[in-house]
Amino acid sequence: MAQTDATTTTVTVAEAEGQIHCLIPTSKIAARVQELAGEISADYTDKPLLVVGVLHGAYVFMADLVRQLKIPVRVGFVMVSSYGDDTVTSGKVELKLDVSQPVDGEHVLLVDDIVDTGISVNWLIDHIKGKDPASLRLCALLDKPARRRVPVEIDYLGFEIPDQFVVGYGIDWAGRLRDLPYIGYVSTDE
Ligand code: IMP
Ligand code: MG
């Protein structure tokens, strides 16, 4: 039987799937991504955009988003890790991969999967601001405001969700389930 701890690394996909329930179906995600892409395309007309995705969680969302944009874009990636376990973050952020393109003078849109405590994206915003972009905005697929520890301004938000551990559409549970086409939540009471 699967352990109920969302940080476990011993759970199998089959076990995990028995505990996963749909929170946001694929069709609803697609509709919202299209709306966000419309807003972003309107805001960045005549402004060349560098879209920077936060690996790994944002890769599916970003792939869908950029393909709906009506403006020319370049894409880059960053990766950070937070020390500590998944439920109690130490607040220390380590840069694992920096954006490879020059950022100085560019309009940058940072794309993340979930803003939870806000610590990692807050750190990334400071990090990218230090590279002197012409502008910097944040697009996040999901917002869990109940868990916020540092204030974060999300310019383009997909969905606000309750304080639940979610998976799918790029978001993982111990490295797995990123390939689920919908966003599910993990129930821990089974
Ligand atoms: P924070 O905002 O610094 O606490 O970290 C946010 C990151 O933690 C997200 O970008 C995810 O990678 C991860 N995360 C937060 N909540 C969840 C969740 O419910 N499922 C999977 N990963 C999560
Ligand atoms: Mg992330």
Side-chain angles (χ1 to χ4, degrees):
M1 190 179 155
Q3 295 175 36
T4 53
D5 176 1
T7 65
T8 184
T9 54
T10 58
V11 69
T12 68
V13 171
E15 283 171 330
E17 280 178 349
Q19 292 171 263
I20 291 164
H21 309 276
C22 185
L23 182 66
I24 309 173
T26 308
S27 58
K28 210 173 154 188
I29 300 170
R32 187 71 190 118
V33 168
Q34 199 166 12
E35 286 173 359
L36 289 174
E39 281 179 48
I40 294 164
S41 299
D43 291 352
Y44 288 92
T45 308
D46 302 326
K47 283 185 196 161
L49 186 59
L50 175 61
V51 181
V52 175
V54 184
L55 292 173
H56 295 70
Y59 84 106
V60 174
F61 174 44
M62 176 161 157
D64 282 350
L65 184 73
V66 295
R67 285 179 295 167
Q68 297 286 337
L69 292 175
K70 306 284 183 246
I71 50 170
V73 293
R74 289 175 301 133
V75 299
F77 294 96
V78 287
M79 184 161 65
V80 289
S81 70
S82 301
Y83 292 112
D85 66 36
D86 283 355
T87 52
V88 185
T89 175
S90 68
K92 286 184 193 155
V93 178
E94 186 187 0
L95 186 68
K96 294 282 190 183
L97 175 77
D98 204 354
V99 57
S100 61
Q101 292 89 345
V103 166
D104 188 358
E106 300 293 333
H107 295 285
V108 177
L109 181 67
L110 188 63
V111 176
D112 205 356
D113 57 352
I114 310 175
V115 182
D116 188 34
T117 65
I119 290 170
S120 55
V121 83
N122 189 60
W123 188 95
L124 271 170
I125 286 167
D126 280 350
H127 175 71
I128 293 174
K129 274 187 182 161
K131 295 173 183 284
D132 290 324
S135 69
L136 175 61
R137 286 185 180 174
L138 174 64
C139 175
L141 177 64
L142 303 175
D143 182 16
K144 272 197 234 176
R147 302 227 330 147
R148 193 74 87 255
R149 283 175 48 186
V150 294
V152 174
E153 190 184 332
I154 304 173
D155 301 288
Y156 306 98
L157 174 64
F159 304 93
E160 186 176 308
I161 60 168
D163 183 9
Q164 280 170 323
F165 193 83
V166 293
V167 293
Y169 199 67
I171 299 162
D172 75 307
W173 180 7
R176 300 181 190 209
L177 299 166
R178 295 191 196 275
D179 51 317
L180 284 181
Y182 59 90
I183 294 167
Y185 67 94
V186 180
S187 71
T188 53
D189 53 11
E190 284 165 29

